[in-house]
């Protein structure tokens, strides 16, 4: 059949010529290639000891942010959970009580906030959906673990630690 | 036989045995390291610095693995297989001259376990025996794949033993002796090495050693893609370990044999012009000999990580139609040259 693309190449198997039949030239060629690689510098990064820097737009583990006064930004609106294609996020909301203003920025907050890291595909849609700039995928990659239940990250792992200077703003009880 | 002699030999045998085992052990590590470097990676380096504890870990793991003897297997032969493999691999080193003699006080110690005057033949016999280990193991497992592997091993080793023997005959025509010690002594210095008079013979011998050790490109008895592992599929735990060990010891002994026969054994260039005492020459000689052996072992590995496996018909073609005629031609050529040299010079 005529080839339409003109790129068709018919390969025929020719009988090997003398040099090919005694294998040796080809073997020497192969040997020279492998020995070249033997002395090449090795590109491996020895991981636990040496870490490669993450790229700037790397999407890693989520962190729930705090505002300038150290209060949790998240208002448990559930938009992130809604936007999540993997159904990885769940939360239980609660109402802020009197005296908790220094803990939560909005009147409603997430009492429980869980992300199942085995479901998450690190698409970053939760980050995009959040109206309060409360969630960012700016952490390192999620580390390995032994049990499935340990991959469900709660607030203890997600909420970013308080900054030190926030202490001054805390109302003295 | 005096007591001192017995003690000396026992010590020597144990020493060689230990060295052989250690080298075989570390060949496994070296193999993986070489593979790593050739593929632009590090190879195992987690167990101890540079991974030097890796062989110990592997060995330990072998001991803790469950040992399975298949229900349909012939139990005695199944156990005998790896036993024969490892024993034949180990006894080969008995006739190899590791060095000249050491003089300690009054005693002169030969660094060779025994100088049989048919050393070459002995080596040959041992090598030929080693295929029984594989054959018995493969047959006793009662598994099609292992049987196929065993059959391949047997036919391969018969085919290549022929060419190997023929290439050796040419060498023996030059050396006029079957004793390995004698052969090494003749190759004093550098210019007398047999490789210079028998390059073709060496090439054939080298190729055949690859086949005898069933190393790549001739590792058909155990090719994973066709035989899921070959003659040792049914083996687990330390029995499998013994088979692998035997293979590495085999490689070590083959390297030693090649260094002895063609590369002057413990001889090194200018050995008699340095003005050193006999003991020093011996010690350096032993080191040089081991350096040659390691070079060969490295070459074995280098080839392994370079070449693909032969197809079975290619293997047979190469053995019967190329190597054997070449070896015969080599014999004729050697004979002609010897005669010409004797009559005209
Ligand atoms: S990154 Fe994507 S998958 Fe992961 S929790 Fe956010 S929205 Fe869901
Ligand atoms: S993280 Fe953002 S989107 Fe998700 S519940 Fe909290 S405020 Fe809403």
């Amino acid at each position: 059949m005529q080839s339409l693309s003109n790129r068709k190449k018919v390969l025929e198997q020719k009988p090997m010529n003398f040099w090919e039949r005694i294998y040796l030239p080809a073997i020497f060629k192969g040997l020279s290639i492998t020995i070249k690689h033997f002395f090449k510098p090795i590109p491996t990064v020895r991981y636990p000891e040496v870490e490669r820097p993450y790229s700037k737009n790397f999407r890693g583990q989520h962190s729930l942010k705090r505002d300038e006064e150290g209060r949790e930004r998240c208002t448990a609106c559930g938009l992130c959970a809604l936007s999540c294609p993997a159904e990885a996020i769940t939360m239980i909301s609660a109402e802020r009580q009197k005296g908790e203003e220094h803990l939560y920025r909005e009147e409603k907050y997430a009492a429980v906030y869980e992300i199942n890291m085995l479901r998450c595909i690190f698409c970053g849609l939760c980050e995009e959906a959040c109206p309060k700039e409360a969630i960012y995928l700016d952490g390192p990659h999620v580390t390995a673990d032994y049990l499935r239940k340990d991959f469900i990250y709660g607030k203890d792992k997600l909420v970013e630690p308080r900054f030190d200077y926030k202490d001054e703003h805390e109302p003295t009880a | 036989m005096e007591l001192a002699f017995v003690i000396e030999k026992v010590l020597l045998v144990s020493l060689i045995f230990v060295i052989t085992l250690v080298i075989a052990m570390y060949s496994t590590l070296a193999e993986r390291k070489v593979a790593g470097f050739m593929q632009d990676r590090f190879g195992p380096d987690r167990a101890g610095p540079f991974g030097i504890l890796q062989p110990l870990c592997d060995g330990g793991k072998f001991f803790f693995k469950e040992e399975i003897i298949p229900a349909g297997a012939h139990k005695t032969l199944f156990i005998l297989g790896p036993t024969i493999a490892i024993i034949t691999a180990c006894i080969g080193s008995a006739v190899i001259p590791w060095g000249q003699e050491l003089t300690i006080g009054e005693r002169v110690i030969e660094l060779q376990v025994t100088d049989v005057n048919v050393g070459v033949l002995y080596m040959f016999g041992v090598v030929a025996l080693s295929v029984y280990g594989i054959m018995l193991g493969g047959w006793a497992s009662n598994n099609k794949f292992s049987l196929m592997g065993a059959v391949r091993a047997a036919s391969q080793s018969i085919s290549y033993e022929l060419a190997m023997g023929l290439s050796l005959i040419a060498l023996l025509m030059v050396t006029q002796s079957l004793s390995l010690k004698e052969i090494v002594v003749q190759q004093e210095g550098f210019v007398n090495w047999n490789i210079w008079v028998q390059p073709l013979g060496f090439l054939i011998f080298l190729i055949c050693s690859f086949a005898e050790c069933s190393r790549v490109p001739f590792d058909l008895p155990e090719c994973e893609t066709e035989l899921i592992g070959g003659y040792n599929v049914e083996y687990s735990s330390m029995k499998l370990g013994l088979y692998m060990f035997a293979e590495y010891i085999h490689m070590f002994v083959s390297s030693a044999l090649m260094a002895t026969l063609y590369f002057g054994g413990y001889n090194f260039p200018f050995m008699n012009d340095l003005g050193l005492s006999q003991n020093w020459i011996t010690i350096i000689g032993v080191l040089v000999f081991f350096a040659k052996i390691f070079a060969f072992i490295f070459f074995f590995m280098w080839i392994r990580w370079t070449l693909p496996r032969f197809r079975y018909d290619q293997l047979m073609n190469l053995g019967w139609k190329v190597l054997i005629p070449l070896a015969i031609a080599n014999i004729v050529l050697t004979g002609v040259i010897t005669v010409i040299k004797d009559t005209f010079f």
Side-chain angles (χ1 to χ4, degrees), chain A residues 19-57:
Chain A
W19 290 109
E20 284 165 342
R21 237 180 311 138
I22 61 169
Y23 299 118
L24 288 180
I27 288 176
F28 281 123
K29 207 166 129 199
L31 287 177
S32 75
I33 291 173
T34 38
I35 202 71
K36 250 184 252 151
H37 279 270
F38 190 80
F39 292 110
K40 251 195 191 160
I42 295 168
T44 311
V45 178
R46 294 164 175 265
Y47 165 59
E49 292 97 51
V50 186
E51 278 186 35
R52 233 167 90 190
Y54 291 110
S55 81
K56 259 205 260 150
N57 51 4

Side-chain angles (χ1 to χ4, degrees), chain A residues 59-60 62 80-89 113 115-117 119-129 135 137:
Chain A
R59 291 197 295 260
H62 316 62
C80 51
L82 208 63
S83 71
C84 178
E87 304 255 346
I89 306 179
Y113 190 107
I115 300 182
N116 186 339
M117 291 299 176
R119 299 200 64 128
C120 174
I121 53 170
F122 301 94
C123 60
L125 287 183
C126 45
E127 179 180 312
E128 263 176 57
I135 189 164
L137 282 78

Side-chain angles (χ1 to χ4, degrees), chain A residues 64 73-81 89 91 110 113 126 129-135:
Chain A
L64 287 171
R73 302 182 75 110
C74 173
T75 182
C77 65
L79 285 177
C80 51
I89 306 179
M91 69 194 75
Y113 190 107
C126 45
C130 181
K132 299 288 180 190
E133 303 192 345
I135 189 164

Side-chain angles (χ1 to χ4, degrees), chain B residues 223-292:
Chain B
C223 69
E224 303 87 356
T225 38
E226 298 158 34
L227 298 180
I228 44 168
Y231 63 87
N232 52 22
V233 234
E234 295 288 2
Y235 281 90
S236 56
S237 173
M238 208 52 205
K239 294 212 190 69
L240 178 66
L242 283 184
Y243 265 128
M244 294 186 171
F245 229 66
E247 213 166 284
Y248 280 100
I249 296 177
H250 222 102
M251 188 164 86
F252 169 63
V253 174
S254 290
S255 302
L257 189 63
M258 278 191 284
T260 311
L261 290 178
Y262 289 96
F263 282 84
Y266 50 71
N267 290 304
F268 53 97
F270 313 117
M271 56 192 289
N272 292 334
D273 309 334
L274 293 174
L276 292 169
S277 71
Q278 178 59 40
N279 274 359
W280 277 112
I281 291 186
T282 306
I283 291 170
I284 297 176
V286 173
L287 294 180
V288 167
F289 186 46
F290 273 96
K292 288 175 189 170

